[in-house]
Each structure stands twice: as C-alpha cells, then as structure tokens.
Amino acid sequence: MPSPVKADATLGIGSPAPAIDVEHWLQDGKGFFKPVTKFEKGKVYVIEFWATWCGPCVMSMPHLAELQNQFRGQNVQIISVSDEEVEEVKEFLARENEELKQTFEQITSAYCLTTDPDRSVYKDYMDAAKQQGIPTSFIVGKDAHVEWIGHPMEMEEPLQKVVNDAWDREAFKKAMEAKQQLEAAIEQISKLAGAGKFDDAIKLVEKQITLTDDPSLIGNLKDFRASLMLSAGHVTDEVVQYYRERLADMKGNWMSLGQFGYSLTAVVQQGGKVGPLAAEAVAALAPIADKADPEAQPLVYHILAQLSKVDNKLDEAIAFQQKSVELSDDRQKKRMQLFLDELTPDKESENDEK
C-alpha cells in the first residue's frame, strides 16, 4: 500500500490522491466494503461529494448504486462523502423516495455512504482541486493517482476505461486544463462586457477562438463574439451575414426564432445596435407566430412588437401588441397593455411630425 499523501495546494489529473480520513461510515455495501484511509495498489476508488440538500446529488444516487453493482467484483469501491452531521444524514436516509418507493438507505445500500463534518476530505479534494459545486466525483486509479474529476452522471465511461487499463490520463488532463482555461477566459470576458468594455471583450474572445480546438466550443465562442459586436454597436457586414445564416438555420422554429428576437431586443435595451436584423427577425417569425404554443403566443407577438418598434415600424408594432393583449390571460394582460400604451404616444408623435 502507498503511504498517506498530504494534499497539495492544488489537486489535478495525475496528482497523487490524498489519503482520506472520514469520520463516520454509514453504509458499507451491506458489509462488502471496509472503511478506507489508504488506497490499495491495484484497486480503483471513487470519492464523491454530496449533501442531503443537493437535488442533483440525490438524483445521482441510483446511478451510483448501479455503477457499484456493475463493478462490485472488479476492485472498485465508491465512497460518497457529505460534510453534514450524522443525525441529519440518518434522517435523510430514513426518508422514502416517492418515485422508487424505497428509502434512501435502501437506494444507497450498494456503496459506501459517509459523512465527514470536519470537512478534512472536502478540503483535501474539493478545495485543493478548486471544485466549487456538488455532486463532484474523483476517480482514483490503480496507482493511487487522480484519473478523472467530474459529475457522477458522466462517470461510467471513464470508470470503465480506468478499470480496463484503457484510460488516457494525459489526454483527459489536457482536455480538462483547456476547459478550465476557457472557463476562466469566459469569466474575464463577461466581466469586461458587464463593465461596458466591449471592444476589450471582443479581442479576448477572438484570442480564445484561436486557442480552442473543440468545434462546438468554437461555435459557442463565435456566438458570443457576434453578440458582443452588436452590444458594442458594430453592425458590420460580417456580423449581419453571421446572423442571417443563423436565421436560415432556425427557419420554421418559432421557439428558436422567438429566443433570437428576444436577444435582439435585449441588445437594444442595453444600448447596442442590431441594424437590419430586427426586420429580418420579424420577417422570419411573424408568419409562424400563430403556430406557437397557445400559452407562448402572447410573448411571441410581444417580441414581434418590440422588434417592429426597433425597426421604426410603429403601425406593425401596435398591431402585433394588440394581438398580444388579445391573446393574454388575465395575469399577462395588464403587462402587455402597458407596452401597447407606450406605443400609442409614439404613434401620435409620429403623426404630429408629418
């Protein structure tokens, strides 16, 4: 057995896995498993962090039980760690899951469920790896090093590969570091945009696009860049063409077109410009507005009214908003009427100017 490892300031893929010092072991796989402090060579461990108040953690429990049963005879031990008091966890375990008609004690009985109120294990893993949300799982491989970090619902494939000695630790490490770098960049970009420094944010997005290999991530970054360009008032031919292609892709989809139209109105409300895109969004959405779900139609016509106002088509805006009011229920009607009332003085002012 390897000797206990003191947690580093940071914990990542390929790091030696810190020994664990869990205070209370409440489930042990019906006697199949023993409490663990040191990781045995040749065995695979999953250290999963959860809490009774965490909905996604609770939803992951049946999946963890399935995985433990699947790998039970293959030297795999799943250890779930809460930081709550023992009585709090025991009260939770006694409750029944209405859907499965079993108590949570029964649901989790296949694997090791523990609680560690002094949070020593949490600090050595979650804090050291800079993981902020639960549930989070760490796969500790046969050489007592961290192989994978992620959501337990996404763990089956990497766990299978680790067990079968087919896991590419270095490839995953590279991918995870790239993802973390991207997340840090997105946070910085969002802060710049929130401060109104759109041009700086655009430059940072463009730099990030050149550093990213994943096609889907590049697509998301290009969407982000185009939105920032509009927010900055840069309605270039390139940006307009980009959104025209998006509109073509959304043809006939009232929900996607409605969301796109709403995003355009938000840009304008925040001081940006959308150029000809307001009119083109109306042209794409208006013919299929009546195909939207009945409860969504008032909002769809309201979006069309807002876009028409942006495009200085007040007659169209009023007609769309009247339709919105007409279709609204009592709860919505007052709000929709307020916007219709806002449009009428604009129309009167336009007539006076003529």
Side-chain angles (χ1 to χ4, degrees):
M1 297 182 187
S3 59
V5 177
K6 185 178 180 181
D8 295 326
T10 58
L11 184 74
I13 305 305
S15 298
I20 61 174
D21 182 19
V22 175
E23 291 182 79
H24 306 287
W25 292 73
L26 305 178
Q27 301 268 42
D28 60 2
K30 298 179 181 177
F32 190 86
F33 299 106
K34 302 294 183 186
V36 172
T37 54
K38 305 172 184 178
F39 298 121
E40 292 187 38
K41 186 175 181 180
K43 290 188 176 182
V44 176
Y45 300 85
V46 174
I47 313 299
E48 187 250 358
F49 293 89
W50 72 288
T52 59
W53 49 262
C54 167
C57 301
V58 175
M59 290 176 64
S60 298
M61 286 176 166
H63 181 63
L64 287 170
E66 288 175 9
L67 287 179
Q68 183 62 88
N69 285 327
Q70 179 182 343
F71 293 102
R72 182 176 293 275
Q74 301 179 57
N75 286 325
V76 174
Q77 183 172 357
I78 296 176
I79 305 165
S80 287
V81 185
S82 171
D83 62 2
E84 297 160 289
E85 295 298 331
V86 173
E87 289 307 314
E88 191 172 359
V89 177
K90 284 185 175 179
E91 287 176 10
F92 166 79
L93 293 176
R95 285 166 36 196
E96 185 177 272
N97 180 299
E98 294 181 3
E99 183 178 346
L100 297 178
K101 303 303 180 186
Q102 290 181 310
T103 65
F104 287 103
E105 182 176 2
Q106 292 171 315
I107 291 169
T108 61
S109 62
Y111 60 94
C112 297
L113 191 138
T114 75
T115 187
D116 190 48
D118 72 359
R119 305 186 91 238
S120 61
V121 181
Y122 190 99
K123 292 171 186 173
D124 287 351
Y125 279 81
M126 293 290 288
D127 288 347
K130 296 183 173 64
Q131 296 294 310
Q132 298 177 338
I134 55 173
T136 294
S137 294
F138 295 73
I139 297 178
V140 177
K142 296 177 183 180
D143 63 354
H145 285 67
V146 177
E147 302 283 356
W148 182 87
I149 303 172
H151 196 290
M153 297 300 287
E154 300 171 355
M155 186 173 62
E156 183 171 0
E157 182 180 350
L159 181 57
Q160 181 75 69
K161 289 184 176 180
V162 170
V163 170
N164 294 339
D165 300 318
W167 179 243
D168 191 335
R169 180 196 292 170
E170 288 305 312
F172 181 75
K173 179 180 180 180
K174 182 180 178 182
M176 187 169 183
E177 288 174 348
K179 180 183 177 184
Q180 291 171 335
Q181 189 272 332
L182 176 61
E183 289 172 350
I186 292 296
E187 183 178 355
Q188 186 179 357
I189 292 163
S190 298
K191 286 181 179 178
L192 288 169
K197 299 179 180 180
F198 295 112
D199 288 337
D200 290 339
I202 290 165
K203 289 177 183 176
L204 195 51
V205 171
E206 290 172 344
K207 177 182 178 181
Q208 194 59 45
I209 289 172
T210 66
L211 298 174
T212 303
D213 297 325
D214 188 321
S216 64
L217 293 178
I218 290 173
N220 292 338
L221 287 167
K222 286 183 176 179
D223 281 348
F224 200 2
R225 177 185 178 275
S227 175
L228 289 169
M229 290 284 284
L230 294 181
S231 295
H234 304 325
V235 191
T236 64
D237 291 343
E238 174 211 352
V239 172
V240 171
Q241 182 58 34
Y242 178 83
Y243 279 118
R244 281 176 177 160
E245 291 172 4
R246 290 282 311 280
L247 282 167
D249 292 338
M250 292 184 278
K251 184 177 180 180
N253 187 327
W254 67 266
M255 185 176 294
S256 295
L257 288 167
Q259 290 171 343
F260 176 67
Y262 180 79
S263 70
L264 292 181
T265 64
V267 166
V268 174
Q269 288 168 2
Q270 293 166 9
K273 298 178 182 178
V274 297
L277 295 172
E280 293 179 23
V282 170
L285 179 58
I288 59 170
D290 60 352
K291 299 187 185 303
D293 294 340
E295 63 273 16
Q297 286 187 22
L299 180 58
V300 170
Y301 280 105
H302 178 59
I303 291 169
L304 286 167
Q306 289 177 302
L307 290 169
S308 296
K309 181 182 178 184
V310 169
D311 193 36
N312 294 316
K313 302 282 182 60
L314 287 181
D315 287 335
E316 286 185 13
I318 290 169
F320 284 133
Q321 194 61 21
Q322 286 172 336
K323 187 74 171 177
S324 175
V325 172
E326 176 189 328
L327 294 171
S328 294
D329 58 26
D330 292 339
R331 180 178 54 84
Q332 290 176 305
K333 197 178 292 287
K334 184 176 180 180
R335 182 166 63 89
M336 296 307 179
Q337 183 65 47
L338 285 173
F339 186 64
L340 181 58
D341 293 343
E342 290 176 19
L343 291 171
T344 306
D346 288 340
K347 179 62 181 173
E348 291 173 352
S349 174
E350 181 187 80
N351 291 335
D352 290 343
E353 290 175 4
K354 291 178 180 178

